[in-house]
């Protein structure tokens, strides 16, 4: 598939859409552009997936390209690997984040390594969509944040959109990639809306972006914590403090150039994610920023995230998840240092 540049959109103009709808439109555009793209997963056909991201695709593209699979995540990913070997571009849906672990072996020992193992003879243009994170009051195994586990494995690309516009473009760019992409979708934001213009130019897939300029503290986030960081920035502004928010967008590879540029100006940095702080992605960001911006830092880099406990029952998840108060407390601490 060629690089995307403002794409065939069926003549649609700008419209306000939810993230779920944007993903649906992005999948549809990729399937229209390339007949080798197919979608597979549990309940994605007639039902349209539990979050309705694939709604209508089976009717429009047929059951050979929108495949309802058994409840067998290892089988879904293993089948996708075989399809990729035969020239297809499978897009797998893992119904919920905690369900990915039966497929973990296939992902990290086969999918991630096949291109290297074959010395480049085989490519693995497979996308694995994972709704992840909390905030929807779900039961056990439905609110995990396993992104660091996959980012640790070379051979996998890992990305996470934070808004509907990025979701629309990034799913198409992931499908166009010759490498396997783990596509983390922040499920609590499936219903957030944004203005989408399908004729616009997409932002590069693995580039971070400053989504709010500021001068006092750099706040680094991705996926579900970007809206949180923006809310915290609004609250801080009322107290006369200016937060610069950087959306990483890509978890692996990491584009830290905008973060480093920001930190050299602000001298302070806070990293936020929903996953537990211990060995989370924030640890890598903090280490890199400390190494490269040491003489610019006025305070240690702080991390805000989940606690090192199993994800709690729904009635306690708001106590577990980072919120604006916890993020602003970290901001206060780096400013008071």
């Amino acid at each position: 598939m060629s690089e995307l540049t403002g794409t065939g959109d069926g003549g649609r103009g700008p419209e306000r859409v939810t993230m779920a709808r944007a993903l649906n439109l992005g999948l549809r555009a990729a399937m229209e552009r390339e007949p080798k793209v197919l979608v597979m997963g549990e309940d994605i056909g007639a039902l349209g997936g539990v979050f309705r991201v694939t709604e209508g695709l089976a009717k429009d593209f047929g059951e050979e390209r929108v495949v309802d699979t058994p409840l067998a995540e290892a089988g879904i990913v293993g089948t996708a690997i075989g399809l990729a070997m035969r020239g297809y571009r499978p897009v797998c849906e893992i119904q919920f984040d905690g369900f990915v672990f039966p497929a973990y072996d296939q992902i990290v020992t086969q999918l991630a390594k096949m291109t290297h193992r074959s010395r480049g003879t085989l490519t693995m243009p497979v996308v694995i969509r994972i709704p992840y994170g909390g905030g929807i009051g779900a039961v056990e195994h439905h609110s995990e944040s396993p992104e660091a586990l996959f980012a640790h494995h070379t051979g996998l690309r890992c990305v996470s959109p934070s808004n509907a516009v990025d979701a629309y473009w990034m799913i198409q760019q992931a499908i166009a990639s010759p490498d396997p992409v783990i596509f983390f979708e922040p499920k609590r934001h499936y219903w957030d809306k944004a203005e989408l213009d399908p004729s616009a130019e997409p932002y590069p897939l693995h580039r971070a972006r400053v989504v709010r300029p500021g001068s006092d503290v750099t706040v680094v986030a991705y996926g579900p914590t970007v809206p949180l960081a923006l809310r915290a920035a609004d609250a801080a502004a009322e107290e006369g403090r200016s937060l610069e928010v950087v959306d990483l967008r890509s978890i692996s590879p990491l584009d830290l150039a905008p973060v480093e540029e920001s930190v050299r100006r602000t001298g302070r940095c806070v990293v936020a994610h929903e996953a537990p702080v211990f060995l989370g992605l924030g640890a890598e960001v903090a280490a890199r920023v400390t190494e490269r911006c040491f003489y610019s830092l006025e305070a240690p880099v702080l991390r805000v995230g989940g606690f090192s406990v199993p994800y709690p029952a729904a009635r306690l998840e708001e106590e577990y998840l980072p919120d604006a108060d916890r993020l602003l407390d970290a901001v206060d601490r780096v400013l008071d240092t």
Side-chain angles (χ1 to χ4, degrees), residues 217 268-270 298-300 302 329-337:
V217 180
R268 294 170 170 85
C269 182
V270 175
E298 301 289 343
L302 296 186
D329 177 68
V331 168
D332 288 342
R333 283 185 283 146
V334 296
L335 285 170
D336 291 342
T337 299

Side-chain angles (χ1 to χ4, degrees), residues 135-148:
I136 65 168
V139 297
E140 189 179 24
H141 307 309
H142 289 66
S143 300
E144 308 294 330
S145 295
E147 61 271 20

Side-chain angles (χ1 to χ4, degrees), residues 111-156:
L111 182 63
K113 295 178 172 62
M114 192 64 70
T115 298
H116 176 76
R117 185 180 298 142
S118 67
R119 299 185 180 182
T121 302
L122 297 171
T123 57
M124 288 284 112
V126 176
V127 176
I128 300 179
R129 295 179 41 243
I130 305 178
Y132 82 121
I136 65 168
V139 297
E140 189 179 24
H141 307 309
H142 289 66
S143 300
E144 308 294 330
S145 295
E147 61 271 20
L149 296 174
F150 294 96
H152 185 73
H153 290 275
T154 54
L156 298 175

Side-chain angles (χ1 to χ4, degrees), residues 139-209:
V139 297
E140 189 179 24
H141 307 309
H142 289 66
S143 300
E144 308 294 330
S145 295
E147 61 271 20
L149 296 174
F150 294 96
H152 185 73
H153 290 275
T154 54
L156 298 175
R157 297 176 182 266
C158 304
V159 300
S160 182
S162 66
N163 59 78
V165 175
D166 271 354
Y168 174 77
W169 291 113
M170 289 171 73
I171 191 63
Q172 295 179 70
Q173 292 165 319
I175 293 169
S177 172
D179 300 317
V181 179
I182 313 298
F183 198 90
F184 291 99
E185 300 169 7
K187 67 171 82 74
R188 68 153 72 190
H189 296 299
Y190 272 141
W191 301 276
D192 292 358
K193 290 186 176 182
E195 189 78 12
L196 173 64
D197 181 1
S199 66
E201 289 294 318
Y203 200 71
L205 178 62
H206 295 296
R207 290 276 300 279
R209 178 162 52 191

Side-chain angles (χ1 to χ4, degrees), residues 6 11 25 61 98 115 130 195 197 199 202 218 221 252 279 288 320:
L25 293 172
F61 294 97
T115 298
I130 305 178
E195 189 78 12
D197 181 1
S199 66
T218 301
S252 179
L279 293 182
R288 298 266 199 103
Y320 170 86

Side-chain angles (χ1 to χ4, degrees), residues 48-109:
V50 293
F51 296 105
R52 304 300 186 264
V53 170
T54 56
E55 190 169 39
L57 296 183
K59 179 175 75 70
D60 295 336
F61 294 97
E63 294 181 356
E64 291 186 352
R65 295 186 65 193
V66 182
V67 183
D68 267 325
T69 68
L71 305 182
E73 285 78 12
I76 293 170
V77 176
T79 300
I81 292 169
L83 287 165
M85 289 180 177
R86 298 301 299 269
Y88 290 91
R89 291 179 175 270
V91 181
C92 307
E93 177 179 303
I94 302 297
Q95 199 168 70
F96 283 92
D97 34 45
F99 299 176
V100 73
F101 296 107
Y104 188 74
D105 177 53
Q106 287 285 353
I107 294 170
V108 303
T109 65

Side-chain angles (χ1 to χ4, degrees), residues 38-52:
L38 55 87
V39 182
M40 53 197 298
E42 299 161 7
D43 298 320
I44 67 162
L47 182 64
V50 293
F51 296 105
R52 304 300 186 264

Side-chain angles (χ1 to χ4, degrees), residues 300-315:
V301 180
L302 296 186
R303 294 169 289 156
V304 177
F307 301 111
S308 293
V309 298
Y311 197 91
R315 67 182 179 275

